[in-house]
């Protein structure tokens, strides 16, 4: 009997490596909904992440080295995600699709997701140090991009009676992917939507994160503009599990966020001369800030327009890149 129990326990543990543990537990309990296609409405926070320039990295490596690199990376990221109550539902080469608040309830899912994103960046620092010291020549240094969005989906077993997987369907999944792509456009590591930012407010956690409002964007394939924010750092000590940046570096990021948002606000108010002057001041101090360079480009595209042409001005920026 003891041997049977041990084998059952090992089987559940192994099964949970392929399917969310909550789904496995429900199957073991005899809940037949989890053995067939079945979905329920859920409000979730979605993260889509990938490794920056992974195609170039993979082309320059042997397959065994590439496998070793990915295994090290995915192991480190999985530990962080699980610590912050996330569920990795798909591993897409170097990409990760992660959900919070499904299948298990996570009331503060937006907070957990943003904490996880910053913790993943922190874990990557340690991983890169390990990769650099592991061999000569060292393995490539990695950096990641993450898009976060909060919204309503259908979550559960998706597919057919013969083949299915646990996941979510709905526009929020696509939006998270689009936001991850915007990280490259704006030169950032983490971008969250206005809906995720609003969820942080509802969680009472917004003051714990240093964010800057990047833009109101209309991304390819979308009909409505989305407000996007860069998640830059933890603002203060807050919860003990948060990795903190040096105070001086945090202060610089706060100053950058404030200066940038002032320039962006002037742009939204159609005060293009003021916006240009403020953006130029930002670049004098932070010449490498790509988001500010994008803002200057936005200003130049509309600064010549007449009042009549700006009658329906919203400040939304059309992003044609995917």
């Amino acid at each position: 009997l003891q041997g049977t129990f041990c084998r059952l326990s090992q089987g559940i543990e192994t099964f949970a490596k392929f399917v969310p543990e909550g789904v496995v537990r429900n199957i073991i309990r005899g809940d037949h909904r989890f053995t067939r296609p079945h979905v329920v409405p859920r409000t979730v926070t979605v993260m889509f992440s990938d490794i920056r320039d992974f195609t170039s990295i993979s082309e320059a490596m042997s397959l065994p080295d590439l496998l070793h690199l990915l295994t090290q990376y995915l192991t480190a990221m999985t530990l962080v995600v699980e610590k912050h109550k996330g569920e990795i539902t798909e591993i897409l080469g170097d990409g990760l699709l992660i959900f919070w608040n499904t299948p298990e309830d996570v009331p503060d899912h937006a907070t957990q997701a943003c904490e996880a994103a910053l913790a993943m960046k922190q874990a990557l620092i340690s991983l890169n140090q390990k990769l650099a010291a592991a061999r000569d020549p060292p393995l490539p240094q990695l950096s990641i991009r993450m898009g976060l969005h909060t919204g309503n989906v259908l979550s559960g077993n998706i597919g057919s009676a013969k083949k299915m997987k646990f996941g979510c369907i709905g526009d929020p999944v696509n939006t998270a992917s689009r936001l991850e792509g915007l990280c490259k456009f704006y030169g950032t590591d983490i971008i969250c939507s206005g809906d995720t930012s609003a969820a942080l407010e509802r969680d009472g956690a917004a003051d714990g994160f240093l964010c800057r409002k990047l833009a109101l964007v209309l991304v390819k394939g979308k009909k409505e503009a989305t407000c996007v924010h860069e998640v830059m750092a933890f603002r203060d000590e807050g919860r003990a599990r948060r990795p903190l940046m040096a105070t001086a570096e945090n202060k610089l990021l706060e100053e950058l966020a404030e200066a940038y948002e002032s320039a962006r606000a002037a742009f939204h108010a159609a005060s293009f001369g003021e916006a240009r002057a403020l953006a130029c001041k930002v670049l004098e101090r932070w010449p490498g800030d790509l988001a500010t360079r994008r803002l200057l480009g936005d200003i130049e595209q509309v600064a010549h327009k007449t009042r009549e042409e700006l009658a329906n001005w919203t400040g939304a920026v059309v992003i044609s890149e995917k």
Side-chain angles (χ1 to χ4, degrees):
L1 183 62
Q2 184 177 3
T4 301
F5 178 79
C6 288
R7 286 193 296 273
L8 176 62
S9 178
Q10 290 171 356
I12 293 172
E13 184 178 343
T14 300
F15 193 17
K17 293 179 181 179
F18 298 89
V19 180
E21 188 174 339
V23 174
V24 176
R25 284 201 300 268
N26 284 312
I27 292 172
I28 298 300
R29 289 170 186 157
D31 190 332
H32 296 295
R33 292 176 303 168
F34 290 87
T35 62
R36 58 182 172 79
H38 173 77
V39 294
V40 294
R42 299 281 286 195
T43 300
V44 301
T45 297
V46 187
M47 176 194 288
F48 195 92
S49 75
D50 72 0
I51 297 174
R52 185 177 281 113
D53 298 324
F54 181 71
T55 300
S56 298
I57 290 171
S58 61
E59 286 176 349
M61 298 183 70
S62 68
L63 289 178
D65 280 350
L66 181 61
L67 177 61
H68 175 73
L69 179 71
L70 273 178
T71 301
Q72 293 291 313
Y73 166 73
L74 293 171
T75 298
M77 297 302 105
T78 299
L79 289 173
V80 173
V81 170
E82 290 183 345
K83 181 179 179 181
H84 291 274
K85 305 178 184 179
E87 197 67 64
I88 298 175
T89 61
E90 291 194 38
I91 298 174
L92 309 163
D94 64 310
L96 293 173
L97 179 59
I98 309 165
F99 296 105
W100 278 264
N101 202 38
T102 187
E104 303 293 332
D105 292 338
V106 182
D108 60 340
H109 49 90
T111 301
Q112 292 289 343
C114 289
E115 285 191 352
L118 290 170
M120 287 163 74
K121 277 186 63 177
Q122 187 73 12
L124 202 59
I125 295 173
S126 300
L127 177 61
N128 279 330
Q129 292 171 347
K130 180 181 176 181
L131 294 174
R135 61 180 69 180
D136 187 19
L139 290 170
Q141 298 291 281
L142 303 178
S143 61
I144 54 178
R145 298 182 295 233
M146 292 165 273
L148 294 157
H149 179 55
T150 301
N152 299 320
V153 300
L154 292 176
S155 175
N157 292 339
I158 302 164
S160 68
K162 288 186 174 290
K163 292 288 183 180
M164 55 189 159
K165 67 167 187 174
F166 179 85
C168 297
I169 56 175
D171 187 62
V173 181
N174 183 56
T175 298
S177 175
R178 291 287 189 269
L179 296 184
E180 183 274 327
L182 283 182
C183 288
K184 181 178 181 180
F185 185 80
Y186 283 110
T188 60
D189 297 322
I190 307 167
I191 286 181
C192 78
S193 68
D195 291 316
T196 299
S197 179
L200 291 177
E201 293 279 359
R202 291 193 296 272
D203 289 348
D207 289 344
F209 297 93
L210 174 57
C211 301
R212 66 167 164 171
K213 184 177 178 180
L214 285 172
L216 182 65
V217 301
L218 187 63
V219 297
K220 190 171 184 178
K222 303 282 288 182
K223 294 181 179 179
E224 294 185 5
T226 303
C227 187
V228 296
H229 304 249
E230 178 186 7
V231 183
M232 304 175 83
F234 294 112
R235 189 180 292 278
D236 51 36
E237 290 194 20
R239 302 178 190 181
R241 66 175 177 268
R242 291 177 175 171
L244 295 179
M245 304 182 69
T247 303
E249 186 176 354
N250 238 12
K251 183 171 176 56
L252 281 174
L253 287 176
E254 286 191 76
E255 291 171 358
L256 168 59
E258 183 178 346
Y260 175 88
E261 287 182 350
S262 295
R264 178 61 73 173
F267 174 77
H268 277 261
S271 300
F272 302 128
E274 180 187 1
R276 184 188 291 109
L278 290 171
C280 287
K281 284 185 178 180
V282 175
L283 287 177
E284 285 176 8
R285 191 169 178 192
W286 293 278
D289 188 58
L290 180 56
T292 305
R293 294 191 178 278
R294 294 293 189 192
L295 173 55
L296 275 176
D298 296 338
I299 294 167
E300 297 310 318
Q301 285 187 354
V302 296
H304 64 281
K305 292 192 174 184
T306 64
R307 285 190 176 183
E308 290 74 19
E309 291 174 314
L310 294 171
N312 297 316
W313 172 253
T314 64
V317 178
V318 178
I319 307 292
S320 57
E321 299 179 20
K322 260 192 172 183

